[in-house]
Amino acid sequence: MEKQTTVRGHAAAGVTILIWGTTFISTKVLLREFTPIEILFIRFLMGYLVLWLVYPRKLALASRRQEWYFAAAGLTGIALYYLLENIALTYTLASNVGVIISIAPFFTAVFSWIFLGGDRPGKRFLSGFVIAMGGIALISFSSEAKLAINPLGDILAVAAAVVWAAYSTITKKVSAFGYHVIQATRRTFFYGLIFMIPVILASDFKISLGQVTQLKNMGNLLFLGVGASAICFVTWNFGVKILGPVKTSVYIYMVPVITAVTSAIILGERIPGASVLGILMTLAGLLLSEGRSKKIEIGSEKGTGLSESGTP
């Protein structure tokens, strides 16, 4: 029975990463007809409504101070992170974004050390960081067409990784409140949607029913809204519960591999040899960094179910 449970935990983590690793592709397809903010708003509105249907219970906060943490989580992890990611996809390859975003655990570890009193990153961690950054440089500079005209997409992807690290640090604070995972996540989604409003008002936000109901668009929007935004946190939570945060977090490093492969198959993006080497170096660096003190990881077991060291 225990073995079967462990297998289910690995399966849950694997399915989550498979979905998260392909969200870049789905977003890139939608960017042909929607703006980044339009995709972002529709995606999380869908996720928010689904979470209400799954767990229709209102969250009563113990103090007003806690509201600021949920607002900060919504601003960083939903509004800023995904907006930066979506805009990055308009400038660079989906495979680039997939790999670069995966450096978020590095910044998460640094922020945990500075703001949460976690262990200071050691030599093993720093060595892994250097190797991964070298891999990212190879990936960025091997894209001849993109490099020549605009490396902005890669820079925005790095910024998104830093913002996600800030979000992860905030969710560790939120996890101490002890609220139901669905309620806490839904509250974060709510504030993320609120913080999107200024961007919507300042942009040419126009969504027609015809756009949304097109079969291709609807399929991708449902995939992002229901699958990647409302379901994945449940399967990831299950994996963490069974395997623990340390083993589960290892799966996050498969994201760039899945993204690169699917972008080549679905979008027809060519992956140069240097990019392949860069992917391997990045994965090696990230895995090497896993040798840092596990106090940071173990401390997240009481989390809200939002990924502490990875990305959706």
Side-chain angles (χ1 to χ4, degrees):
M1 181 64 69
E2 184 177 349
K3 184 177 180 180
Q4 291 179 345
T5 303
T6 301
V7 170
R8 288 194 299 170
H10 282 291
V15 168
T16 304
I17 293 305
L18 181 62
I19 294 175
W20 279 347
T22 55
T23 55
F24 301 102
I25 312 304
S26 192
T27 300
K28 190 111 181 178
V29 172
L30 287 171
L31 283 169
R32 296 168 183 169
E33 296 192 40
F34 297 90
T35 66
I37 187 60
E38 289 169 352
I39 297 171
L40 190 58
F41 184 77
I42 297 172
R43 169 181 177 174
F44 282 97
L45 180 60
M46 282 184 174
Y48 179 73
L49 295 175
V50 168
L51 291 178
W52 264 113
L53 290 173
V54 173
Y55 197 81
R57 297 185 184 181
K58 187 177 179 180
L59 175 60
L61 298 181
S63 70
R64 290 195 175 187
R65 182 170 176 270
Q66 294 178 352
E67 200 79 76
W68 290 102
Y69 284 98
F70 283 106
L75 174 63
T76 54
I78 307 301
L80 285 180
Y81 170 76
Y82 283 101
L83 189 59
L84 286 169
E85 177 190 282
N86 286 4
I87 295 174
L89 286 168
T90 66
Y91 290 102
T92 190
L93 298 174
S95 54
N96 283 35
V97 177
V99 175
I100 294 172
I101 289 295
S102 70
I103 68 173
F106 287 119
F107 296 111
T108 302
V110 172
F111 285 1
S112 295
W113 166 50
I114 296 174
F115 299 109
L116 300 178
D119 284 0
R120 179 177 180 174
K123 292 181 180 179
R124 186 183 179 103
F125 166 80
L126 294 176
S127 298
F129 180 77
V130 171
I131 293 172
M133 291 303 289
I136 290 169
L138 276 177
I139 294 165
S140 297
F141 299 136
S142 66
S143 177
E144 305 92 346
K146 299 295 178 181
L147 174 64
I149 56 175
N150 205 331
L152 180 59
D154 296 336
I155 295 172
L156 289 173
V158 172
V162 175
V163 168
W164 181 262
Y167 164 70
S168 298
T169 305
I170 295 168
T171 58
K172 288 186 179 181
K173 291 284 190 180
V174 171
S175 68
F177 300 156
Y179 298 120
H180 192 284
V181 58
I182 295 181
Q183 290 177 308
T185 305
R186 190 177 64 216
R187 194 75 158 208
T188 301
F189 279 20
F190 170 76
Y191 278 107
L193 290 167
I194 292 297
F195 282 116
M196 290 179 207
I197 293 177
V199 181
I200 291 174
L201 295 176
S203 63
D204 186 22
F205 189 91
K206 293 180 181 179
I207 300 176
S208 67
L209 183 62
Q211 276 181 298
V212 176
T213 55
Q214 285 182 28
L215 186 59
K216 180 182 66 176
N217 292 340
M218 178 58 73
N220 282 295
L221 288 170
L222 286 173
F223 173 71
L224 292 176
V226 180
S229 300
I231 295 178
C232 269
F233 84 95
V234 176
T235 54
W236 183 258
N237 240 11
F238 182 77
V240 171
K241 180 180 179 181
I242 301 300
L243 305 175
V246 177
K247 287 185 178 180
T248 309
S249 66
V250 172
Y251 280 90
I252 205 73
Y253 303 127
M254 287 302 296
V255 169
V257 176
I258 294 171
T259 302
V261 172
T262 52
S263 64
I265 295 174
I266 299 174
L267 301 180
E269 293 182 352
R270 188 179 69 86
I271 305 179
S275 286
V276 174
L277 177 59
I279 289 173
L280 294 176
M281 287 178 62
T282 303
L283 291 176
L286 289 167
L287 291 173
L288 182 61
S289 75
E290 276 296 293
R292 67 183 184 275
S293 173
K294 295 179 181 178
K295 290 181 181 179
I296 295 175
E297 298 285 352
I298 293 173
S300 68
E301 287 191 16
K302 296 180 181 180
T304 64
L306 299 174
S307 173
E308 300 275 349
S309 61
T311 61

